[in-house]
Amino acid sequence: MLSRVRVWLNRTYAENVFFMDQLRRNPSDRAVEIHATHGDADSPVLAAADTADLEPEGLSPAAYVEYALDQCTRRGIDVFVPRLHQETIVAHRAEFAAAGTALLAPTAEAAAVFQDKATAYEAVQSIGVAVPPWFRVRTEAELVAAVEELEADGHKACFKPAAGAGGVGFRVITRTPFSLVHLSGFPSPYVPLDLVAQAVRDADEPVDWLVMPRLQEPEVSVDCLTGTDNRIRMAIARTKNGRRRGFSTHEQWVEPARRIAEGFGLHYLSNIQFRMYGDQPVLLDVNTRPAGGLHQLSQCGVNAPWAAVQLALGEDPGEVVPPFLGADYAVVSGPRPLRAISLPQQRDVEPTVLPSRPAPAEPVDSVTASGTEAVSL
């Protein structure tokens, strides 16, 4: 009988409760126990895990590696899926291996390349993958010059941090003066150029932004699974056009994603995003971690988290091909249970092991996490 597999996710995003669900429902019928750590006591991943700790705050990346090694040794972790301090952790892969833990993460070189979006764009251009026009700006003058050049070519300009995850810090530049238009309805990403320029001018230190044209939908995220032999095992695209989402294995998305994943050592799970620049797909971003929406591939009959864990354990799953492409769908939210903490000051206690996840007999606090629901066509 195969032994249980112990998996740890650190400081991960709420949507990975579904990643955890899929590990437990693996097609190998293998026993999986999940350890989770987080700095927020109300993260739903802590309640979803079999055991969990609150992470100590204020650790340097080097100190966090020591903390992580201790967790792996004490908890008997077989596979560690690092999000926080990934770049530093993977540089110590041999030490984790000596502790009996496989890192489900890319090479240190790949993590470094894709930590910075400007470096990433230069790197993928060198292997023939198309990227949008972009300008790295640090000053007001550079910002205004970049916006004017893009607008002269007929584009709306937008900016985002050169380093960062998801859509954090993304804004679209507008020439419309600030008025009640910006205060009606829901908050929007549009910001007047004069206010942005003044904020940069008044800042205590230079910004580090990429300015580029506002790219068009669809937005396509290719979820990849790549072995340490730099051979891809899975590449499935998830498409997003407004509310509607779907799946694709079209080569215009899969081929450049495959080239990036195999060419840069994006081992295990990565997520490579594209948008349209005119009629050409161009790279938007590369995430060296499993995407929050990875679980949506279950609608294609694929359990990507488990295939990745198998690969990390040396149990090669072979080529992962969807047996079918699921119907178009929309993302909705639903409740997930939280730990039973009622007083904010209770979050300041020393990290403790949480018990296994009993089925609550009475209602518990909850938080919403994104799920999926099929849309009728």
Side-chain angles (χ1 to χ4, degrees):
M1 181 177 179
L2 293 173
S3 61
R4 69 176 183 179
V5 180
R6 188 100 164 119
V7 180
W8 173 27
L9 288 82
N10 78 329
R11 198 76 67 107
T12 195
Y13 27 90
E15 204 170 15
N16 264 347
V17 294
F18 303 113
F19 186 103
M20 298 157 76
D21 290 344
Q22 285 191 287
L23 288 182
R24 294 190 179 101
R25 295 196 300 265
N26 67 80
S28 303
D29 200 26
R30 186 90 171 263
V32 175
E33 289 191 5
I34 298 170
H35 182 57
T37 58
H38 209 284
D40 179 4
D42 287 339
S43 169
V45 300
L46 296 182
D50 296 289
T51 61
D53 279 343
L54 291 177
E55 291 188 358
E57 296 293 340
L59 294 181
S60 68
Y64 192 91
V65 169
E66 294 302 316
Y67 164 79
L69 284 166
D70 179 67
Q71 286 278 313
C72 289
T73 301
R74 290 193 300 111
R75 304 288 186 198
I77 302 299
D78 299 300
V79 178
F80 177 21
V81 188
R83 190 202 64 81
L84 182 65
H85 296 313
Q86 184 195 77
E87 185 178 353
T88 306
I89 287 167
V90 295
H92 295 265
R93 190 182 299 271
E95 294 167 54
F96 284 92
T101 301
L103 296 182
L104 202 155
T107 65
E109 294 77 13
V113 166
F114 295 106
Q115 180 74 14
D116 180 277
K117 292 179 173 59
T119 303
Y121 279 0
E122 291 172 347
V124 301
Q125 274 186 298
S126 71
I127 62 168
V129 174
V131 302
W134 57 275
F135 305 84
R136 190 166 200 160
V137 306
R138 293 183 171 86
T139 66
E140 177 191 4
E142 291 174 343
L143 169 70
V144 173
V147 171
E148 289 178 344
E149 184 168 338
L150 288 170
E151 289 179 341
D153 289 335
H155 300 297
K156 280 188 178 296
C158 62
F159 65 89
K160 59 185 177 181
V168 175
F170 171 80
R171 299 292 187 274
V172 181
I173 295 289
T174 177
R175 295 281 185 165
T176 305
F178 186 78
S179 68
L180 287 177
V181 170
H182 295 89
L183 300 176
S184 62
F186 292 103
S188 86
Y190 286 86
V191 290
L193 176 59
D194 59 332
L195 295 185
V196 179
Q198 180 174 341
V200 174
R201 185 188 321 135
D202 296 342
D204 294 331
E205 56 186 28
V207 298
D208 189 8
W209 292 343
L210 292 192
V211 176
M212 61 182 61
R214 178 77 186 272
L215 301 174
Q216 302 304 307
E217 291 188 313
E219 182 173 312
V220 179
S221 295
V222 184
D223 294 308
C224 297
L225 176 63
T226 310
T228 56
D229 56 0
N230 291 332
R231 184 171 59 83
I232 208 160
R233 307 302 199 273
M234 179 193 80
I236 306 171
R238 291 181 286 113
T239 64
K240 180 171 70 173
N241 201 334
R243 185 187 294 273
R244 180 173 292 268
R245 307 196 180 200
F247 304 99
S248 174
T249 54
H250 196 288
E251 281 299 300
Q252 70 173 336
W253 316 115
V254 170
E255 191 279 330
R258 179 189 301 273
R259 205 183 311 172
I260 292 169
E262 294 185 337
F264 291 97
L266 286 174
H267 299 164
Y268 304 108
L269 290 168
S270 60
N271 175 256
I272 302 171
Q273 301 172 355
F274 302 89
R275 271 193 174 232
M276 299 300 294
Y277 178 61
D279 58 358
Q280 181 183 29
V282 293
L283 181 71
L284 177 62
D285 206 356
V286 175
N287 296 306
T288 61
R289 52 170 174 74
L294 180 69
H295 65 279
Q296 294 163 16
L297 295 184
S298 63
Q299 295 199 110
C300 296
V302 172
N303 187 327
W306 178 245
V309 167
Q310 284 185 296
L311 195 57
L313 293 172
E315 303 165 7
D316 197 328
E319 188 175 3
V320 180
V321 178
F324 54 88
L325 294 181
D328 286 359
Y329 62 101
V331 172
V332 297
S333 62
R336 298 286 299 204
L338 295 180
R339 293 174 55 203
I341 293 180
S342 58
L343 299 176
Q345 57 265 35
Q346 286 183 264
R347 300 175 189 172
D348 296 329
V349 299
E350 289 296 315
T352 55
V353 180
L354 302 181
S356 298
R357 302 166 293 107
E362 299 179 0
V364 297
D365 290 344
S366 64
V367 69
T368 57
S370 295
T372 59
E373 180 174 303
V375 175
S376 299
L377 297 178

